Amino acid sequence: MITPSYPATRLRRPRATSWSRALHCEILVSPADLIWPLFVTEGTGVEQPIGSLPGVSRWSVDQIAMRAQEAVSLGIPCLALFPNTQAERRDPLGKEALNPDNLMCRATRAIRDACGDSIGVLTDVALDPYTSHGQDGLIDDAGYVLNDATTEVLIGQSLNQAAAGADIIAPSDMMDGRVGLIRTALESAGHHNVQIMSYAAKYASAFYGPFRDAVGSSGLLKGDKKTYQMDPANGEEALREVAMDIAEGADSVMVKPGLPYLDIIVRVKQRFELPVFAYQVSGEYAMIEAAAAAGAGDRDALVLETLTSFKRAGCSGVLTYHAAHAARLLGA
Ligand code: PBG
């Protein structure tokens, strides 16, 4: 082990000029690292700004296809879709999740028609955008979210999305056993190349508020999601969640939220050596926007610094509402 000592070693030496800083830079973020989450709503030609997510809108299906073309031109390889299901289409069982013509399926087909295979479509599997109670699964009389009854519906939801052309099925519900059940169903239906990106370590976080506004669940949800999402205090348990999802057939795993859980990203990457993604969630986006609006930080610099830290921690990519903006900053 070499012991560097001053003044033979001056760590500021390589930092002295911009060309040298560029040469020594360890991490490069590129538009190819980004997954752009988009919210889908009914109608044609519709853009609905979301109050708690300044700069983010819900788009009608035709507009989603245009965002997809924009993403392709920016070099963004993948979109993540979330529906704002109309209140009258929600019920306690989340049956709209199984409708082959629901917003997710129509948006997926519209993206495929507009862009062919030049962009990936990641679809979220969980029932909260479809249930009248806003929980991610089916509930019993006491409001407890039932595991095995829910996974039955999630299988149907996944097959419905795959039939519409989804490339990556992303279960965000945190039920036990769902990755294996979904993988088996996809194989039986011939969807051998449809990937599963598991929201493996998803925490019961206070950072999801604006998302729940965006999909229309915030007014419906009573209580919290602590009986299925993880306790923010737990790290070891995240490794067990990831180990199980890998064993069940996950192609990649996600840690969510992002920045408050960089330590989890590092531990997962080092332990399992598989593709890890971070979801820089709605509340994280909103914090950056609020800081920029308050003059407490430079938006562009905050965006790029956070994305860099995800890659430094070991992420293959990041889901971020700043994806299009970041891709432009990165000179796509
Ligand atoms: C729900 C889901 C949530 C997010 C993605 N899928 C919210 C929740 O668990 O309540 C959050 C994403 C974000 O905050 O940006 N299945």
Side-chain angles (χ1 to χ4, degrees), residues 56-80:
V56 177
S57 297
R58 304 181 195 98
W59 304 94
S60 54
V61 169
D62 58 308
Q63 300 291 305
I64 289 284
M66 292 168 67
R67 298 288 76 72
Q69 287 165 329
E70 184 183 343
V72 170
S73 71
L74 289 169
I76 295 172
C78 191
L79 302 175

Side-chain angles (χ1 to χ4, degrees), residues 126 128 136 172 202 208 211-212 225 229 256 281-282 321:
D128 53 308
D136 290 27
S172 70
K202 176 172 175 179
Y208 304 150
F211 173 96
R212 293 178 189 169
K225 300 190 175 182
Q229 299 179 352
K256 175 185 173 185
V281 298
S282 56
Y321 300 96

Side-chain angles (χ1 to χ4, degrees), residues 144-313:
Y144 184 75
V145 174
L146 300 164
N147 195 88
D148 299 8
T150 297
T151 53
E152 288 303 312
V153 187
L154 300 178
I155 293 168
Q157 180 181 25
S158 303
L159 290 173
N160 189 33
Q161 294 174 350
D167 300 291
I168 306 179
I169 299 293
S172 70
D173 52 282
M174 290 298 281
M175 298 303 118
D176 284 323
R178 88 280 204 220
V179 170
L181 293 166
I182 292 169
R183 185 71 264 162
T184 302
L186 289 173
E187 292 299 319
S188 312
H191 296 300
H192 308 298
N193 281 339
V194 172
Q195 303 174 34
I196 297 178
M197 181 188 293
S198 170
Y199 287 69
K202 176 172 175 179
Y203 287 87
S205 169
F207 286 96
Y208 304 150
F211 173 96
R212 293 178 189 169
D213 285 345
V215 298
S217 295
S218 43
L220 305 172
L221 185 66
K222 291 176 205 67
D224 55 45
K225 300 190 175 182
K226 290 181 183 170
T227 69
Y228 47 107
Q229 299 179 352
M230 284 182 51
D231 183 338
N234 296 358
E236 207 170 81
E237 187 186 343
L239 301 180
R240 298 183 73 196
E241 285 283 0
V242 170
M244 289 201 55
D245 287 356
I246 296 171
E248 291 176 31
D251 299 285
S252 54
V253 295
M254 194 196 296
V255 174
K256 175 185 173 185
L259 280 194
Y261 298 89
L262 282 182
D263 59 321
I264 306 298
I265 294 168
V266 173
R267 289 171 75 178
V268 168
K269 185 69 187 176
Q270 289 183 346
R271 171 80 65 99
F272 298 105
E273 300 179 314
L274 89 166
V276 180
F277 290 81
Y279 199 145
Q280 187 173 35
V281 298
S282 56
E284 297 180 72
Y285 173 94
M287 281 201 321
I288 291 177
E289 290 302 309
D298 176 70
R299 171 184 289 108
D300 297 352
L302 291 168
V303 168
L304 293 181
E305 184 175 332
T306 58
L307 293 176
T308 302
S309 61
F310 288 120
K311 286 217 70 183
R312 193 190 59 238

